[in-house]
Amino acid sequence: MDILGATLRVCVDDLDASVAFYERLAGIGALRFERGGVAVAAVGCFLLMSGPEAELEVLRKVSATIAVTDVDEVHRTLTELGADVLAGPVATPAGRNLIARHPDGTVYEYADRRPS
């Protein structure tokens, strides 16, 4: 299983103001999309999210997004190691993902960029 990097998840009230800050901080433009009523902007290693509080409450429970080469391989490895796969693998706008709770209780999203 190859881990390529991690993305920090940040829930914000004002997405436009936050995007401007993080674009200047990271020195690159944001990739914006919407998912499940939540507006999302990916800026470098930051994933900014804004939307209804009920949706954000769920998103805040995921500590980080971990980029991997293959979500199916991650699924097998996590299962073998005793993690609980809570959701997925499912298709996303950029590839596929799954949500898993590690044996220590920490919840992570794992995502690849493989076409579904």
Side-chain angles (χ1 to χ4, degrees):
M1 177 177 105
D2 293 326
I3 294 176
L4 306 174
T7 300
L8 306 171
R9 300 164 64 95
V10 183
C11 296
V12 299
D13 292 327
D14 185 341
L15 188 64
D16 291 330
S18 295
V19 164
F21 172 83
Y22 283 95
E23 284 179 331
R24 298 254 342 250
L25 179 66
I28 60 171
L31 170 63
R32 292 182 181 230
F33 57 94
E34 187 168 317
R35 181 133 194 239
V38 175
V40 180
V43 186
C45 67
F46 301 99
L47 188 64
L48 310 175
M49 301 173 285
S50 184
E53 186 54 39
E55 296 292 329
L56 295 179
E57 182 179 340
V58 172
L59 295 172
R60 284 186 181 102
K61 294 178 181 178
V62 178
S63 297
T65 298
I66 300 170
V68 296
T69 54
D70 185 348
V71 163
D72 293 325
E73 182 182 359
V74 169
H75 186 272
R76 286 189 299 275
T77 300
L78 289 170
T79 301
E80 289 170 7
L81 294 173
D84 294 321
V85 176
L86 305 174
V90 297
T92 71
R96 295 172 309 132
N97 78 342
L98 66 78
I99 307 287
R101 182 176 40 244
H102 291 190
D104 64 10
T106 308
V107 177
Y108 293 100
E109 173 188 34
Y110 289 86
D112 66 25
R113 292 192 178 259
R114 296 176 63 193
S116 50

